[in-house]
Amino acid sequence: MKVVIVGGVAGGATAAARLRRLDEAAEIVVFERSGYISYANCGLPYYIGTIADKSALTLQTPESFRARFNVDMRVRHEVGAIDAARHVVTVRNLETDEVFEEPYDKLILSPGARPTRPALPGVGLDRLFTLRTVEDTFAIHDFIERTGARSATVVGAGFIGLEMAENLRERGMDVTLIQRGAHVLPVVDADMAALLHNALRDAGVDLRLNSHVSGFERTPGAIRTLVEGGDAVESDLVVLSIGVAPESALARDAGLELGVRGSILVDASMRTSDPDIYAVGDAVQVAHGVTGAPALIALAGPANRQGRIAADAICGIERSYPGSLGSSVLKLFGTTVASTGLTERAAAAAGIDADAVILSPADHATYYPGARTMVLKVVFEHAGGRILGAQAVGASGVDKRIDVIAVAIRAGMDADGLADLDLAYAPPYSSAKDPVNMAGFIIQNILEGRVEQVRW
C-alpha cells in the first residue's frame, strides 16, 4: 500500500507516524510546500520575542523523520492537482521547478489554512507581514534585526495577534493593536475579554477597539495603517492577523465535496467524498462537540487526533472523531486565559436557553503565600443544568480548571456532576472548595430556585 500525504505539521506528520506504527510495509510519501516538515506552529510568535534558538521550533527534520519512521519526507514540494480517477497527484519541486506525477493508493490532505489577506490598498507592501509558517516568523524576526524596527502595528486580536503583541512588547517595541470588534479574542465573551484589555494596556500596548482598517500606505522608512473614521497609525512594520481560511482549493478542483466556508467535508473517520482520499486539520469541517453543528476549529490538538484517526481508517481500524470543543489556552503577559465549549454568545446563537455563573475565587488557598484572584465563567443550559462551556482568566490554575470542565462536557455532565467531582487539593494548588465544584454547586442552587444571583 502506498499512501501520499499532502502537508506535514500537525495533521500530516502525525498521520505519517501513525501509519508507520500500524503498517511496517507501507510506502509513505509526504509532500510539504514549506521548508519544514514538522514544527511547533503554536510557537511561531514566540521566536519574535521569547525563544532565542530558531532550531527549537523544528520538531523533526526530513532526515530525522526518515531515520525514525522510514517515511519519504519531501519539503519544498507543492501538490498542484489531484486526478482521483487515476489515483495520482501532480507535484512541483519548488527548488528545481520540475513537475511530476506521484501515484497513490490512499491520499491524505493536510493543507492547513491560509492567512486572510483582504483586498485593501497597500496590502502587498514589503513592511506588511502575516504569520503562518516557520519562514514567516523568520522573515519578521530578520526584518526587525536588520532594520532595528522599534514600532509595530498588529491588526487583529485573535490568538496570533495577541501573542504577537506580547512578543513584540517583550522586545521593547511600541505596539499598537487594532481590533475591528468590540473586544479581543472572540472565543471568549466580552465580560471576560475586558480582563485581557486591562492586561494589554498595563503592558503598554496601545489597544484600539471598534477600529476598521481601510488600507496601508508606504511612508519614508515606515508604513501607515489607515483606519476608517480614526487616526492613522505609523509604524516600522505591520503584522496582519485577521483570521485564516481553509486551504481547500486542491480538494475543490478535484471535485471533492466542500462544507462551511469552503472547508473540506469529511465523515467521522476523516474520509472525504472520495473513499480513497482523507483530509485532516485546519482545512476540514468538524462537528462542534456541544451542538453537533458544522464548525471550523483551527487548533493543533484536533489536527493531531484527526491525523491518527485517518491513519487508523486506512489500516482498517475504524474510529470516529467526536467533534471538537475548541479548548484553548493563551498566555498574555502575566495573565492566562483559557476556554472550552460554548460562550454565552455562541449558546444564544445556537438557540440554547442558557445562562452563566461567574466566580472570582483565589487560585489557591488564601492563607498560602502568593494567592491571586482568578475569574471563572461557566455556561450552563437551563433545562437540566447541562454544562455547555467555560472561560477562565487568571495568573495560575486557569488551564487546570478549563481542562477539568472540558472533560466534564465531553462526559455529558450536568451541574450535579460538576459539584461532585473529586478533585486534587493542597494549599499551594487549590482550595478545599475548588472553583469547579463551587460553580456546579451554584448552578444547582440557581436551577432549584434557591438563588437568583449568577455573578459571584
Side-chain angles (χ1 to χ4, degrees):
M1 177 176 64
K2 180 175 182 178
V3 182
V4 170
I5 302 175
V6 180
V9 198
T14 297
R18 178 65 174 166
L19 281 165
R20 175 56 69 225
R21 292 187 175 102
L22 294 173
D23 187 342
E24 293 185 2
E27 182 182 356
I28 306 168
V29 182
V30 181
F31 294 113
E32 167 60 38
R33 181 171 50 194
S34 76
Y36 299 85
I37 196 67
S38 179
Y39 55 87
N41 198 304
C42 298
L44 297 182
Y46 294 97
Y47 177 62
I48 305 301
T50 304
I51 298 173
D53 181 7
K54 66 169 62 178
S55 65
L57 297 175
T58 304
L59 304 179
Q60 293 276 358
T61 65
E63 294 75 22
S64 68
F65 213 102
R66 179 188 289 274
R68 183 175 181 184
F69 297 109
N70 189 26
V71 170
D72 184 0
M73 289 285 193
R74 306 187 204 177
V75 296
R76 301 288 295 157
H77 281 71
E78 182 174 26
V79 175
I82 302 168
D83 188 330
R86 296 173 52 226
H87 278 58
V88 298
V89 294
T90 301
V91 187
R92 180 183 297 276
N93 183 329
L94 298 178
E95 299 289 350
T96 66
D97 213 33
E98 174 197 4
V99 177
F100 60 93
E101 289 188 337
E102 188 80 21
Y104 66 85
D105 296 310
K106 301 291 183 180
L107 178 65
I108 300 177
L109 304 180
S110 181
R114 64 184 185 279
T116 302
R117 293 179 71 97
L120 295 175
V123 78
L125 293 175
D126 58 4
R127 288 177 177 262
L128 189 148
F129 299 87
T130 57
L131 179 60
R132 191 63 182 171
T133 67
V134 173
E135 287 90 347
D136 293 338
T137 198
F138 289 169
I140 296 170
H141 181 276
D142 293 348
F143 176 86
I144 295 171
E145 291 286 314
R146 185 177 71 254
T147 65
R150 301 301 304 161
S151 61
T153 300
V154 179
V155 181
F159 290 107
I160 296 297
L162 291 175
E163 290 170 345
M164 282 301 304
E166 177 188 31
N167 282 277
L168 290 165
R169 282 297 295 151
E170 291 289 338
R171 293 186 66 103
M173 297 177 66
D174 295 328
V175 177
T176 300
L177 178 60
I178 300 176
Q179 171 71 347
R180 183 171 186 170
H183 68 82
V184 303
L185 200 61
V187 297
V188 302
D189 285 313
D191 48 7
M192 300 297 284
L195 303 169
L196 306 181
H197 299 168
N198 294 339
L200 287 161
R201 289 170 175 141
D202 288 347
V205 174
D206 180 5
L207 176 61
R208 304 192 184 188
L209 302 171
N210 296 306
S211 298
H212 179 53
V213 171
S214 58
F216 306 92
E217 291 180 346
R218 188 190 305 275
T219 63
I223 182 172
R224 180 180 293 123
T225 302
L226 307 177
V227 180
E228 285 186 5
D231 295 334
V233 181
E234 188 164 301
S235 58
D236 294 324
L237 72 149
V238 170
V239 179
L240 193 60
S241 179
I242 59 174
V244 295
E247 191 75 84
S248 57
L250 190 64
R252 180 198 64 215
D253 293 346
L256 302 180
E257 291 185 24
L258 302 182
V260 295
R261 289 177 51 198
S263 57
I264 305 171
L265 197 63
V266 294
D267 66 12
S269 295
M270 312 313 296
R271 288 185 187 86
T272 69
S273 54
D274 183 309
D276 290 327
I277 303 177
Y278 296 72
V280 302
D282 296 355
V284 305
Q285 173 183 301
V286 298
H288 193 279
V290 175
T291 65
L296 279 173
I297 298 177
L299 294 169
N304 273 293
R305 290 189 289 277
Q306 292 161 16
R308 288 194 293 271
I309 288 171
D312 284 352
I314 288 172
C315 294
I317 304 170
E318 290 292 330
R319 304 188 193 279
S320 293
Y321 183 66
S324 176
L325 296 174
S327 302
S328 62
V329 63
L330 171 75
K331 173 186 173 294
L332 189 63
F333 300 103
T335 298
T336 299
V337 55
S339 68
T340 189
L342 297 180
T343 61
E344 271 193 284
R345 183 182 67 256
I352 300 174
D353 182 15
D355 209 332
V357 294
I358 297 182
L359 301 83
S360 301
D363 55 8
H364 62 253
T366 54
Y367 60 81
Y368 188 87
R372 295 179 63 180
T373 299
M374 74 163 62
V375 179
L376 174 65
K377 178 175 185 176
V378 180
V379 182
F380 64 96
E381 188 174 18
H382 276 297
R386 179 171 64 120
I387 306 303
L388 302 174
Q391 303 152 55
V393 177
S396 64
V398 164
D399 53 339
K400 168 187 173 179
R401 272 70 185 202
I402 292 301
D403 284 345
V404 168
I405 295 175
V407 173
I409 295 171
R410 182 65 74 197
M413 286 187 183
D414 57 13
D416 291 344
L418 213 60
D420 290 340
L421 285 173
D422 192 355
L423 303 175
Y425 159 66
Y429 303 105
S430 185
S431 299
K433 296 179 179 179
D434 191 274
V436 172
N437 297 130
M438 285 301 299
F441 178 72
I442 294 167
I443 295 170
Q444 284 177 332
N445 281 268
I446 292 169
L447 296 174
E448 293 166 2
R450 294 194 179 99
V451 296
E452 296 180 358
Q453 176 67 40
V454 296
R455 301 295 192 263
W456 290 66

